[in-house]
Amino acid sequence: MIIERYLIREVAKPLAAVLGILAALFVGYSTAGLLADAVNGLLPTGAIAELVGLKLLISLEVLIPISLYVSVVMAFGKLYGDSEITAMFALHVSPGIVLRALFMLSGGLAVLVLALSLFVRPWAYEKSHDITYRAQLSMNVDAMESGTFYLNKHGGRVIFFPRREGVRGPAKEVFIQIQHPTTTDIIMAQSARALPPKRDGGSNVRLDDAHVYFLGRDNSTQDRMMDVGSVTLDPANHNIAPQEYSATGVSSARLARSSDPADIAEFQWRLSTCLSTLLLGLLGMPLSRVNPRQGGRYAKFGTAILVYSGYYLLCTSARTWVQHGSVGAIPGIWWAPALLAVLLVVALYWPQWNVEFRVRALVKRLSGSLEVPREHTVRHDPV
């Protein structure tokens, strides 16, 4: 138990550091993209922190396995480089004990990843989709910049103005297009100014010297036009298409009963993250095996990263093939973890197989050299 606790502690220390660094990088990358939308008025500022937190929860099912994998490679590379593993084996610490300690840590994290994938992932996706949908209904007009087209996802609302007086000053030569079920409203105003915020957080816009066109979208609706000196407009009052179905935000219980290829791919992906975490954690040990006299403690780090990159590419490709119906539910995406399991077995037992092969070759060579030559009959020709 002392050896197992020591090995778990040696892996847990870099695991916390690697996971923290990857999470910080992911948060920074996500925040940069969301800040750009907030600056352009396409996203409420208060929703940035909530969306970043939800995206981080979703990413943990990928960040935890890669962090565990890298941490095992780093920790065991250090143990092999400092000859600690050699000393353990010399003290009759079997490889099974080492693997058992690694299995305990990887198994615990695999259960955590499974819970994140089955329950937290769909909740976080559903919540983020709802925030994004509600963001289309409102717009921070004070944050708009001149020379930029502002439109929602489905083009139900378009706003453009070529110039503006100051950061929060009135916009000049404003063009607004709003799609309704039966009409398309086009407003062209000489100036526009945001009114004080409403209680719900939105803000109306006052348009001065405006020309309004009501264009029918079918023959039953007559086109109209009017000129107004001043009109108040609510940017949130426009037609928004309903949220599209997405398997990522559906509960795991519902996906398990579905026969749709997209649902099958999503459900198998959620289950495979647990298996990937366990296999990657165990694979890090044999891939970090180095000879202290032939290289540094991190000599196999590049190879380990290439192995993970290839495996992740296979998993995402398998998921896409199942999602598009190119591959059925069986084998689904399970062939990718199966290949990783085969690689794990080969990596664990290759040194033993290599030694046995060399021993057999040496025995065969020695037996050939020690073989007693056959006696040759000497014939004497008569003189």
Side-chain angles (χ1 to χ4, degrees):
M1 294 299 296
I2 296 177
I3 294 296
E4 292 176 353
R5 288 197 300 268
Y6 172 72
L7 293 175
I8 293 175
R9 185 170 63 251
E10 286 298 308
V11 176
K13 289 188 293 185
L15 172 61
V18 173
L19 182 58
I21 293 174
L22 292 180
L25 292 175
F26 182 83
V27 168
Y29 175 79
S30 301
T31 304
L34 295 176
L35 280 176
D37 291 340
V39 169
N40 292 332
L42 301 177
L43 184 69
T45 306
I48 294 179
E50 189 174 2
L51 281 176
V52 169
L54 293 173
K55 289 178 177 293
L56 180 60
L57 286 176
I58 296 172
S59 68
L60 286 178
E61 65 175 12
V62 176
L63 296 182
I64 291 178
I66 180 59
S67 300
L68 174 64
Y69 178 69
V70 171
S71 301
V72 172
V73 173
M74 294 174 60
F76 276 85
K78 176 180 177 296
L79 294 176
Y80 275 109
D82 296 341
S83 301
E84 292 189 49
I85 295 294
T86 304
M88 291 181 187
F89 292 161
L91 295 175
H92 304 288
V93 177
S94 65
I97 296 178
V98 178
L99 278 177
R100 184 172 63 186
L102 197 54
F103 182 85
M104 293 170 57
L105 178 61
S106 302
L109 291 177
V111 173
L112 174 61
V113 170
L114 180 63
L116 290 172
S117 297
L118 292 180
F119 305 108
V120 179
R121 171 188 170 92
W123 172 82
Y125 263 116
E126 182 182 10
K127 191 72 173 176
S128 61
H129 291 165
D130 182 65
I131 294 175
T132 305
Y133 179 77
R134 285 189 285 108
Q136 299 180 45
L137 300 175
S138 62
M139 179 173 282
N140 185 8
V141 293
D142 280 337
M144 293 183 181
E145 297 180 354
S146 60
T148 302
F149 282 91
Y150 295 92
L151 66 160
N152 65 343
K153 181 179 180 181
H154 299 280
R157 174 192 57 200
V158 181
I159 300 178
F160 175 81
F161 51 90
R163 56 193 181 92
R164 187 171 194 171
E165 296 181 359
V167 178
R168 297 180 178 272
K172 299 297 183 179
E173 301 177 10
V174 180
F175 170 85
I176 300 176
Q177 175 182 297
I178 301 176
Q179 298 283 358
H180 295 288
T182 59
T183 62
T184 298
D185 300 347
I186 297 179
I187 305 175
M188 302 180 66
Q190 291 298 320
S191 64
R193 180 188 298 273
L195 298 178
K198 297 183 294 185
R199 293 182 178 180
D200 58 0
S203 177
N204 291 335
V205 177
R206 191 186 70 184
L207 304 174
D208 297 324
D209 192 9
H211 305 278
V212 184
Y213 303 87
F214 302 96
L215 306 179
R217 305 183 66 176
D218 50 38
N219 296 330
S220 61
T221 305
Q222 186 179 4
D223 298 341
R224 294 177 298 156
M225 185 194 80
M226 67 177 182
D227 298 334
V228 294
S230 178
V231 62
T232 300
L233 176 68
D234 183 4
N237 184 20
H238 63 284
N239 183 42
I240 290 291
Q243 297 189 54
E244 299 178 355
Y245 175 81
S246 177
T248 56
V250 178
S251 65
S252 299
R254 179 179 173 184
L255 293 181
R257 298 188 300 266
S258 176
S259 59
D260 184 74
D263 294 344
I264 294 175
E266 173 65 19
F267 185 64
Q268 291 187 356
W269 172 269
R270 296 180 187 180
L271 295 178
S272 67
T273 54
C274 169
L275 187 58
S276 299
T277 303
L278 180 61
L279 294 176
L280 287 171
L282 297 177
L283 183 62
M285 174 190 167
L287 288 185
S288 62
R289 189 184 296 117
V290 295
N291 190 336
R293 295 173 297 179
Q294 295 180 355
R297 59 181 63 178
Y298 303 129
K300 299 293 184 67
F301 192 78
T303 303
I305 294 299
L306 290 178
V307 170
Y308 176 81
S309 301
Y311 174 68
Y312 187 77
L313 180 61
L314 288 178
C315 286
T316 53
S317 300
R319 178 186 177 185
T320 302
W321 293 339
V322 175
Q323 185 176 2
H324 293 166
S326 302
V327 178
I330 301 297
I333 69 173
W334 302 115
W335 59 269
L339 288 178
L340 186 64
V342 172
L343 178 61
L344 173 61
V345 173
V346 172
L348 285 175
Y349 291 99
W350 173 250
Q352 179 181 347
W353 295 339
N354 193 23
V355 170
E356 293 178 357
F357 176 78
R358 292 185 179 182
V359 169
R360 291 179 182 177
L362 180 60
V363 170
K364 184 177 181 180
R365 190 182 310 158
L366 292 176
S367 62
S369 61
L370 296 178
E371 183 178 355
V372 180
R374 299 179 179 178
E375 296 182 358
H376 298 278
T377 304
V378 180
R379 179 185 300 177
H380 298 280
D381 296 332
V383 178

